[in-house]
Amino acid sequence: MADLQNKVLEKTEKVKCKYGVSCYQKSRDHRKRFHRDDSCPSDEGSDPPLKKQRSNNAKKSARDSETLEMVLSREEAHKIIKEKLGVEMPDCFYEVWEFCRSLNAEQPLDALKSAGLTLVGPYDILAGRFTGKDLSRASCLRHCRYFYDPPEFQTVLQGNKRTGFHIGYFRDDPDSLPVFLASNKAEEGYHISPQGENLFAAIMLYIAGELKSTGSKDPSKAAALKGISKQLKEWLESSKLDIPLENKTQKNETER
């Protein structure tokens, strides 16, 4: 009885929290000054939905900001990729990254978004998203893998989410460099289509296929695709890189 009286007395000496159930203050000082009833969440309880949403958004913003500040050098990326993925990436992988940084220095992963592509997989390492202790090697190996992807396939570009279209390097041996680029539509089956001998050629083949399927149906998309194609060619020329863009013996069989 005495304990109950003490609790009532303690509560009456405090001010009622004016924010009611919307309050998400958890500090001890707040608890000393305001009622410890259902008007505020308990110290041990979960955050209100709004708080969780704001917290997640804040974490995402912080992560994005951190990503911008942690773009790795080629040497650092090479070391982490080898450690986490157990493979070495070809030169065209790094050159495409530099090209995308020239288009969008702040968010290079999204530099090809106007063409419908996003850089993923080991490019997340280049963007600084996977630091040394963030993910285990097993988690990194599963990152951006699709249901039908064989062990030889390593996704580096994502396209149409409806079909699960993605492009990746295909290698016969993890100790060797990739043999070619390939694509798959995960939502439609296990069929894998060759896409070129280097990543620039694969991107150009993708753009050609998209322009053919788009035609005059979507002028803005066609303009964006042509713009990326022009910028890619100009960047290769200004960088004095001798990288073939034509795939004379390969046919784009995908409908994205």
Side-chain angles (χ1 to χ4, degrees):
M1 185 65 178
D3 290 339
L4 180 59
Q5 289 177 338
N6 289 336
K7 287 182 179 180
V8 172
L9 180 60
E10 179 184 0
K11 186 172 180 178
T12 56
E13 292 176 347
K14 297 178 181 179
V15 178
K16 183 177 179 180
C17 179
K18 67 178 181 178
Y19 295 103
V21 294
S22 298
C23 176
Y24 50 79
Q25 285 284 346
K26 289 187 175 183
S27 68
R28 293 186 180 276
D29 180 64
H30 179 79
R31 297 302 183 183
K32 289 179 181 179
R33 295 166 55 198
F34 299 95
H35 287 186
R36 278 180 173 270
D37 57 14
D38 292 338
S39 296
C40 296
S42 64
D43 291 331
E44 295 78 16
S46 60
D47 292 337
L50 181 59
K51 170 61 174 179
K52 285 185 177 179
Q53 183 179 354
R54 289 176 176 172
S55 176
N56 291 337
N57 290 339
K59 288 178 181 178
K60 183 180 185 300
S61 298
R63 184 169 60 250
D64 290 343
S65 298
E66 184 180 15
T67 297
L68 299 180
E69 297 172 359
M70 292 178 59
V71 175
L72 302 178
S73 67
R74 182 176 296 199
E75 292 73 21
E76 292 170 325
H78 176 85
K79 181 179 179 180
I80 296 177
I81 289 174
K82 183 67 175 177
E83 175 189 347
K84 295 295 186 182
L85 304 178
V87 296
E88 293 186 4
M89 305 306 293
D91 289 340
C92 63
F93 168 80
Y94 295 102
E95 300 301 347
V96 165
W97 175 251
E98 293 303 325
F99 166 63
C100 288
R101 289 187 67 189
S102 74
L103 298 181
N104 188 340
E106 293 187 345
Q107 296 291 346
L109 296 175
D110 295 331
L112 304 179
K113 218 159 191 177
S114 61
L117 294 173
T118 303
L119 276 63
V120 295
Y123 280 119
D124 287 319
I125 293 178
L126 281 181
R129 290 186 172 181
F130 297 164
T131 55
K133 62 181 181 180
D134 281 344
L135 290 176
S136 65
R137 182 172 181 178
S139 296
C140 287
L141 290 172
R142 290 193 297 268
H143 179 59
C144 287
R145 290 198 64 80
Y146 289 76
F147 183 78
Y148 291 109
D149 289 352
E152 297 87 350
F153 194 100
Q154 182 184 35
T155 302
V156 292
L157 291 171
Q158 284 181 341
N160 191 319
K161 293 183 179 180
R162 180 181 57 81
T163 62
F165 178 79
H166 55 293
I167 296 174
Y169 286 105
F170 195 98
R171 62 184 86 217
D172 293 329
D173 188 327
D175 293 328
S176 303
L177 290 174
V179 181
F180 60 92
L181 274 296
S183 68
N184 169 256
K185 292 183 284 186
E187 296 300 321
E188 299 183 12
Y190 55 83
H191 182 71
I192 291 179
S193 301
Q195 295 293 304
E197 297 179 358
N198 66 78
L199 192 50
F200 284 103
I203 293 172
M204 291 298 291
L205 191 61
Y206 164 85
I207 289 175
E210 287 292 288
L211 284 172
K212 184 178 180 180
S213 62
T214 300
S216 59
K217 300 176 185 177
D218 191 341
S220 60
K221 181 178 180 181
L225 289 164
K226 291 177 181 178
I228 293 292
S229 176
K230 181 181 178 182
Q231 289 173 308
L232 188 152
K233 292 176 182 177
E234 291 176 347
W235 186 85
L236 285 175
E237 184 178 352
S238 64
S239 301
K240 302 187 185 306
L241 294 173
D242 185 19
I243 298 179
L245 297 180
E246 295 183 359
N247 300 292
K248 296 180 180 180
T249 62
Q250 294 178 336
K251 181 180 178 181
N252 185 5
E253 303 175 3
T254 59
E255 294 179 2
R256 300 170 185 87

